[in-house]
């Protein structure tokens, strides 16, 4: 499991820019950012190098930020990589709440971030399908 | 005038009548309502000590809480056998307040509502559509009985189903309408959408009340419907509609002073203020048998309009209600206290008890949006869960207030905190604010 920074944002102009500026000014580097939005609000999900520090900084800056545990799966960066992962979970009836992916800057692997309803069973299902979890240390500093 | 022998009484005769009726009322409540006996005893005054109208100011006030804590029948001054009807207020702050009418009360109420309709220009030849809600709310049946008493043709359509309202208005040759002002405007606009210009219909007048409205709103209603729009006033604790009404001169609401003594007090010192000065409106009923009230504090703010009205009625006039001394809001005719919203929020995990109520007009109807903070300690990162939270909050508030509202989730700590009284309500209804 890895720690993801989740932020509740109102849909107002410039709010996302303010958020990223807070992190940027503090020298926090993001690996991935994903926004899920409705007409009225959005949820921003961030994988960054120092997630706990990020939450603290955002909180101090008046954002509603929290840590969420998510699954990070490393898959070969090739067609069908994510499909294999999702099929393995589906076979065990595990529901995926949301997912997003990014490519490792170093090379051939892609990282899939998954939020599932039953993390422990998901981990077992992935192990059976010989799908590796991403190395947490390569994603961020456990601060 | 429907009862000119009263409505145009000389002041001295009126005051003599008031004093006689006041004495009878005080004897009645002292003998039959334990609360009043206790209140009078505490104030060291007996009904027989009241020898002039000026002595009224020595009597204690009655407040809404007195009625609430007497739920359901504790304020009744007549045995239940003699009560033929009960009405109730919406109970938005918790306990509903029940009021009871004897046959005599209903009879006098019908007369007063007939006066109100005549004030607006009604005659027995009119066809009056009652689009106020019927039920525990006093609006519908109040206007209904007045219209029948006058001998007009009464259409008890009640509220809702606006297209049908328009159809009846047109097909039945309606000449008078009773509704909340916002509903009257909605009926007018719906008619236009249906391709019916209300100005071409025989409709002549309307009696509108139960919610605050502005001169601007009156102009809009009069222009849209092609009618004379009259402001009427009442509250169930005192009687219901029929306590006061404008006449066609539209220069204040004539208080039916042969049945109610009106005072304007300074809400801080509780001392009466002279005519013409603004303050809180206080009523003492003079003829009520079911639930007489002595110096009932309405919390409504108004003033007595000095001078005499050109219509010939001698009753003094109340200016249009300009506000409240408490934080009660009137939204689509329903009384709402912002604290009720806070109470709901404290019972829902995932939201903070910080909120702001934003009132606007959507079309002609009041629209309520409640801004609610997502609690910082709740680690929501799923849109689905947040949407579910929003729905829960909206449903709970809607069910607690009995009016539908929209909820907007806002960021933690984004609602302005205040050292003193929090600014919980942003009322943009009279500023052309739209949602």
């Amino acid at each position: 499991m890895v720690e993801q920074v989740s932020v509740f944002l109102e849909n107002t102009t410039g709010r996302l820019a303010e958020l990223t500026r807070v992190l940027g000014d503090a020298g926090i580097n993001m690996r991935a950012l994903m926004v899920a939005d409705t007409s009225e609000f959005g949820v921003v999900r961030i994988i960054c190098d120092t997630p706990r520090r990020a939450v603290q900084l955002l909180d101090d800056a008046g954002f509603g930020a929290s840590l969420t545990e998510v699954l990070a799966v490393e898959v070969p960066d090739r067609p069908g990589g994510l499909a294999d992962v999702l099929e393995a979970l589906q076979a065990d009836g595990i529901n995926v709440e949301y997912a997003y992916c990014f490519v490792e800057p170093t090379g051939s692997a892609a990282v899939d971030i998954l939020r599932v309803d039953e993390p422990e069973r998901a981990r077992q299902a992935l192990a059976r399908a010989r799908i590796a979890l991403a190395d947490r240390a390569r994603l961020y500093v456990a601060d | 005038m429907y009862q000119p022998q009263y409505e145009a009484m000389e002041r001295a005769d009126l005051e003599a009548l008031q004093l006689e009726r006041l004495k009878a009322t005080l004897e009645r409540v002292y003998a039959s309502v334990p609360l009043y006996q206790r209140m009078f005893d505490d104030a060291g005054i007996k009904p027989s000590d009241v020898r002039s109208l000026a002595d009224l100011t020595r009597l204690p006030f009655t407040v809404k809480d007195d009625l609430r804590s007497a739920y359901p029948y504790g304020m009744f001054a007549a045995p239940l056998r003699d009560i033929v009807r009960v009405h109730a207020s919406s109970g938005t702050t918790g306990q509903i307040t029940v009021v009871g009418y004897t046959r005599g009360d209903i009879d006098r109420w019908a007369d007063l509502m007939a006066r109100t309709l005549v004030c607006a220009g009604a005659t027995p030849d009119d066809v009056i559509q009652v689009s106020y809600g019927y039920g525990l709310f006093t609006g519908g049946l109040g206007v209904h009985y007045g219209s029948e008493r006058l001998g007009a043709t009464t259409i008890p359509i009640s509220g809702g189903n606006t297209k049908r309202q328009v159809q009846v208005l047109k097909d039945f040759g309606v000449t008078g309408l009773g509704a909340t002002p916002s509903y009257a405007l909605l009926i007018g606009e719906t008619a236009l959408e249906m391709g019916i210009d209300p100005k071409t219909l025989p409709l002549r007048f309307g009696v509108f009340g139960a919610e605050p409205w502005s001169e601007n709103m009156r102009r809009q209603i009069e222009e849209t419907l092609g009618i004379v729009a009259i402001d009427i006033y009442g509250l169930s604790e005192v009687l219901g509609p029929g306590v006061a009404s404008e006449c066609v001169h539209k220069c204040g609401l004539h208080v039916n002073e042969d049945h109610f003594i009106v005072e304007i007090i300074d809400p801080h010192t509780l001392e009466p203020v002279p005519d013409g000065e603004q303050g809180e409106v206080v009523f003492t009923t003079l003829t009520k048998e079911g639930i007489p009230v002595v110096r009932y504090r309405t919390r409504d703010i108004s003033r007595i309009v000095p001078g005499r009205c050109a219509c010939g009625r001698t009753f003094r006039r109340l200016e249009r209600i300009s506000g409240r001394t408490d934080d009660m809001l009137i939204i689509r005719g329903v009384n709402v206290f912002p604290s009720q919203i806070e109470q709901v929020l404290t019972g829902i995990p995932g939201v903070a008890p910080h909120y702001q109520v934003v009132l606007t007009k959507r079309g002609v109807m009041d629209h309520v949006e409640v801004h609610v903070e997502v609690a910082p300690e709740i680690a929501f990162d799923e849109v689905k869960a947040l949407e579910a939270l929003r729905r829960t909050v909206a449903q709970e508030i809607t069910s607690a207030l009995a009016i539908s509202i929209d909820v907007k989730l806002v960021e933690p700590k984004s609602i302005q905190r205040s050292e003193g009284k929090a600014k919980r309500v942003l009322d943009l209804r009279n500023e052309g604010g739209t949602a």
Side-chain angles (χ1 to χ4, degrees), chain B residues 35 46 78 94 102 130-131 199 218 226 232 245 253 261 266 274 302 322 343 357 381 383 397 407 419 425:
Chain B
L35 174 81
K46 286 192 291 296
T102 64
V130 185
S131 304
K199 284 200 285 291
R218 166 152 42 209
I232 69 173
S245 168
L253 299 105
I261 293 179
D266 179 322
S302 179
S322 65
Q343 207 175 344
V357 181
D381 75 322
V383 170
I397 297 178
V407 165
E419 299 280 311
V425 178

Side-chain angles (χ1 to χ4, degrees), chain A residues 4 6 8-10 15 36 38 40-41 43 45 59 62 64 66-68 97-98 115, chain B residues 369 374 376 378-384 386-387 390 407-414:
Chain A
Q4 168 196 271
S6 303
F8 176 85
L9 271 197
E10 280 171 54
R15 195 67 179 142
T38 70
E40 292 190 338
F41 62 84
V43 176
R45 295 151 189 159
D59 202 46
S66 57
L67 282 181
T68 313
E97 305 284 354
Y98 59 79
R115 166 87 163 161
Chain B
E369 188 173 77
V374 174
I378 296 290
F380 278 128
D381 75 322
E382 286 166 41
V383 170
K384 202 165 63 178
L386 287 162
E387 288 287 9
R390 195 177 64 83
V407 165
K408 182 182 180 192
L409 295 179
V410 298
E411 291 176 23
K413 304 192 197 93
S414 66

Side-chain angles (χ1 to χ4, degrees), chain B residues 298-352:
Chain B
T298 63
R299 304 285 175 178
D300 284 330
I301 296 169
S302 179
R303 65 186 190 102
I304 299 287
V305 180
R308 276 204 174 191
C309 183
C311 72
R313 290 179 182 84
T314 50
F315 293 153
R316 288 182 304 165
R317 289 158 294 152
L318 273 182
E319 195 173 68
R320 172 191 292 281
I321 304 299
S322 65
R324 301 267 311 168
T325 60
D326 55 21
D327 57 356
M328 188 181 88
L329 300 166
I330 303 180
I331 301 169
R332 297 197 288 266
V334 176
N335 300 349
V336 172
F337 286 90
S339 54
Q340 295 170 261
I341 295 172
E342 185 167 326
Q343 207 175 344
V344 171
L345 295 181
T346 52
I348 304 176
V351 294

Side-chain angles (χ1 to χ4, degrees), chain B residues 95-331:
Chain B
Q95 194 68 265
I96 65 170
T97 53
V98 181
V99 290
Y101 300 75
T102 64
R103 197 169 295 285
D105 288 334
I106 296 282
D107 186 51
R108 284 179 290 273
W109 190 13
D111 276 340
L112 294 183
M113 279 311 297
R115 286 185 192 175
T116 292
L117 290 164
V118 170
C119 268
T123 73
D125 295 329
D126 279 300
V127 178
I128 296 176
Q129 179 165 331
V130 185
S131 304
Y132 282 106
Y134 281 61
L136 286 177
F137 171 58
T138 51
L141 283 162
V143 178
H144 179 99
Y145 273 65
S147 173
E148 286 192 352
R149 173 61 52 89
L150 178 63
T153 305
T154 309
I155 306 173
I157 190 166
S158 191
N161 199 345
T162 312
K163 284 188 174 161
R164 185 150 149 265
Q165 299 268 357
V166 173
Q167 209 60 51
V168 168
L169 199 67
K170 174 173 170 281
D171 296 347
F172 292 17
V174 170
T175 56
L177 176 67
T180 61
S182 53
Y183 196 51
L185 202 47
L186 184 64
I187 291 173
E189 296 191 344
T190 305
L192 289 172
E193 280 166 22
M194 293 164 67
I196 297 164
D197 183 356
K199 284 200 285 291
T200 64
L201 302 178
L203 192 63
R204 275 183 18 249
F205 66 89
V207 288
F208 305 121
E211 66 186 12
W213 52 312
S214 59
E215 272 310 308
N216 208 13
M217 179 93 161
R218 166 152 42 209
R219 266 195 304 280
Q220 247 181 306
I221 292 173
E222 293 193 329
E223 279 165 23
T224 308
L225 292 172
I227 60 169
V228 173
I230 293 297
D231 189 16
I232 69 173
Y233 177 80
L235 59 168
S236 64
E237 294 84 354
V238 175
L239 179 77
V243 174
S245 168
E246 282 183 333
C247 64
V248 291
H249 295 286
K250 302 177 198 166
C251 52
L253 299 105
H254 293 275
V255 177
N256 283 306
E257 287 185 286
D258 52 338
H259 295 274
F260 313 100
I261 293 179
V262 60
E263 295 173 83
I264 307 288
I265 63 162
D266 179 322
H268 304 293
T269 66
L270 304 182
E271 292 296 320
V273 302
D275 281 8
E277 274 183 36
Q278 213 174 48
E280 181 179 327
V281 183
V282 171
F283 285 109
T284 299
T285 65
L286 296 175
T287 52
K288 284 267 297 282
E289 294 169 344
I291 298 191
V293 287
V294 176
R295 303 194 86 195
Y296 181 72
R297 292 184 60 178
T298 63
R299 304 285 175 178
D300 284 330
I301 296 169
S302 179
R303 65 186 190 102
I304 299 287
V305 180
R308 276 204 174 191
C309 183
C311 72
R313 290 179 182 84
T314 50
F315 293 153
R316 288 182 304 165
R317 289 158 294 152
L318 273 182
E319 195 173 68
R320 172 191 292 281
I321 304 299
S322 65
R324 301 267 311 168
T325 60
D326 55 21
D327 57 356
M328 188 181 88
L329 300 166
I330 303 180
I331 301 169

Side-chain angles (χ1 to χ4, degrees), chain B residues 80-93:
Chain B
L80 218 47
R81 185 184 59 243
D82 293 339
I83 299 291
V84 298
R85 172 99 61 82
V86 292
H87 281 282
S89 69
S90 50
T92 39
T93 50

